[in-house]
């Protein structure tokens, strides 16, 4: 069978993963990115990259949990298939609250049970102060925590770099600083060239607004801090009546602190208020963070659809994948598997019925 020619628009999370999987399957892939491919301008780079189906289902739908659990199975295998595996941590995550806010933890567990029923019982465990100290010494001042032992996280900066390197090693063609001005069935039009493909895959995230009527960006702000005074082995979510915060350990004694969630498409730098709230919550988590150095701040837009669920629109010669919202790393493996199976005419991937719409009117 002749090699399929695939054009992929958007070099963020979905675009890179889809390019890599399709190249591995023997396709001829061309990837277009509006900005730099070295430093991805998409949400993919700003993300904390937690893979947390339990924490996320608490405020979303059961589908997010089911697809996320499937993603948790795929990530380790995919990591081993990369030219150089990246740091993928499977040490679970912790949810903590100070004693006066203990009801927040109880409520979190109740919501978890509500969404996933008995499956939840096996997925989390209550820890007392001694047990917390055994796994996270620097959180030993908390009296109670929920331990979500199946959750994971990965080094997304390393992943994005490695995917680009693998795409090139597998013979993929890439164009950076090349925004597509038209993305349609079999066609990608850039400012000065027209390309034709067997299939076009639209992975522009918020950039797909001209063609997907309900795409919106949801602003998220994060802080990066560095300190040797605190050590964490796993992501920690801190429940507080005023603000919710997560802290995810990153290489070189760094931590990413996030994230605000604001219904705005403003990409200007982090506000003083958000910085204060994230910093205050971090200090309340452990005062030893006080001398941490703020090494960076970042802002990006989560590509989201009306229902905050993922969707693939499919018509002849074109797939538009979008709506990964705050769940990109969680859902990407199952979304990409669906794209790849569709492009290769393989049997449908497990969640294609729930997330794929064939021949929508506006495709
Ligand atoms: C603060 C924050 C924290 C997050 N934390 C997590 C987390 O812990 N776990 C998790 O699972 N998810 C998280 N996410 C969500 C995750 O980052 C997104 O869901 C994911 O990146 C979406 O992937 P995407 O490929 O659809 O879009 P993106 O990653 O945004 O990529 C879209 C790409 O398309 C390019 N593009 C746009 N228009 C064009 C055009 N016309 N031509 C060519 N290229 C174009 C853009 O430049 C961009 O590179 C977080 C997001 C944010 C903002």
């Amino acid at each position: 069978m002749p090699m399929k020619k695939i054009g992929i628009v958007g070099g963020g999370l979905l675009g890179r993963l889809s390019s890599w999987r399709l190249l591995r399957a023997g396709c001829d892939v061309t990837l277009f990115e509006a900005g730099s491919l070295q430093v991805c301008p998409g949400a993919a780079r700003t993300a904390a990259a937690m893979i947390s189906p339990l924490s996320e289902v608490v405020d979303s739908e059961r589908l997010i949990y089911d697809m996320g659990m499937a993603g948790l199975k795929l990530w380790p295998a995919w990591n081993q298939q990369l030219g150089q595996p990246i740091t993928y941590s499977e040490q679970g995550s912790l949810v903590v609250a100070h004693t006066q806010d203990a009801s927040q933890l109880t409520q979190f567990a109740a919501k978890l049970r509500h969404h996933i029923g008995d499956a939840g019982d096996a997925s989390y465990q209550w820890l007392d102060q001694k047990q917390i100290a055994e796994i996270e010494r620097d959180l030993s001042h908390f009296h109670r925590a929920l331990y979500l032992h199946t959750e994971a996280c990965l080094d997304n900066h390393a992943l994005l770099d490695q995917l680009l390197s693998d795409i090139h090693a597998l013979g993929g063609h890439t164009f950076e600083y090349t925004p597509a001005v038209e993305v349609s069935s079999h066609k990608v039009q850039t400012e000065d060239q027209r390309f034709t493909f067997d299939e076009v895959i639209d992975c522009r995230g918020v950039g797909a607004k001209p063609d997907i009527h309900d795409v919106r960006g949801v602003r998220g702000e994060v802080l990066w801090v560095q300190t040797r005074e605190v050590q964490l082995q796993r992501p920690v979510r801190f429940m507080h009546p005023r603000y919710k915060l997560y802290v995810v350990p990153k290489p070189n004694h760094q931590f990413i602190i996030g994230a605000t969630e604001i219904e705005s498409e403003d990409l200007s730098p982090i506000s003083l208020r958000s910085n204060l709230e994230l910093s205050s919550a971090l200090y309340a988590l452990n005062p030893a963070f006080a001398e941490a150095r703020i090494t960076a701040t970042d802002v990006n837009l989560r590509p989201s659809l009306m229902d905050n669920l993922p969707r693939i629109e499919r018509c002849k010669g074109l797939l538009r994948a979008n709506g990964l919202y705050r769940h990109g790393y969680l859902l990407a493996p199952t979304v990409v598997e669906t794209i790849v199976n569709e492009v290769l005419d393989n049997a449908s991937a497990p969640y294609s019925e729930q997330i794929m719409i064939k021949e929508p009117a506006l495709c």
Side-chain angles (χ1 to χ4, degrees), residues 42-62:
R45 192 174 165 86
T46 308
M50 292 176 288
I51 301 156
S52 40
L54 294 143
S55 310
E56 289 299 329
V57 77
V58 164
D59 291 314
S60 49
E61 302 212 4
R62 169 74 193 226

Side-chain angles (χ1 to χ4, degrees), residues 10 12-14 33-34 43-44 47-50 180 204 325-330:
L13 181 61
L14 282 181
E33 166 55 48
M50 292 176 288
R204 287 175 292 170
Y325 180 45
R326 47 183 293 159
H327 308 126
Y329 286 85
L330 184 64

Side-chain angles (χ1 to χ4, degrees), residues 123-176:
S123 328
Y124 70 81
Q125 185 189 343
W126 285 103
L127 302 186
D128 62 22
Q129 189 167 16
K130 185 164 166 283
Q131 291 167 312
I132 297 170
E134 278 163 14
I135 61 166
E136 289 292 3
R137 193 197 58 199
D138 289 336
L139 297 177
S140 60
H141 48 290
F142 285 95
H143 292 102
R144 218 165 170 230
L146 270 173
Y147 179 34
L148 313 174
H149 49 84
T150 49
E151 296 198 336
C153 64
L154 56 78
D155 180 350
N156 50 326
H157 292 183
L159 175 73
L160 295 171
D161 290 350
Q162 189 59 48
L163 284 172
L164 182 60
S165 155
D166 282 17
I167 288 166
H168 287 147
L170 290 164
H173 317 284
T174 59
F175 291 87
E176 57 180 346

Side-chain angles (χ1 to χ4, degrees), residues 40-43 45-47 157 219-224 256-257 260 267-270 278 296-300:
C40 170
R45 192 174 165 86
T46 308
H157 292 183
R219 176 175 162 100
E221 300 156 304
V222 296
L223 294 179
W224 280 75
I256 182 168
I257 323 300
T260 58
L267 266 172
S268 63
I270 187 169
L278 292 174
T297 61
D298 200 1
V299 175
N300 224 310

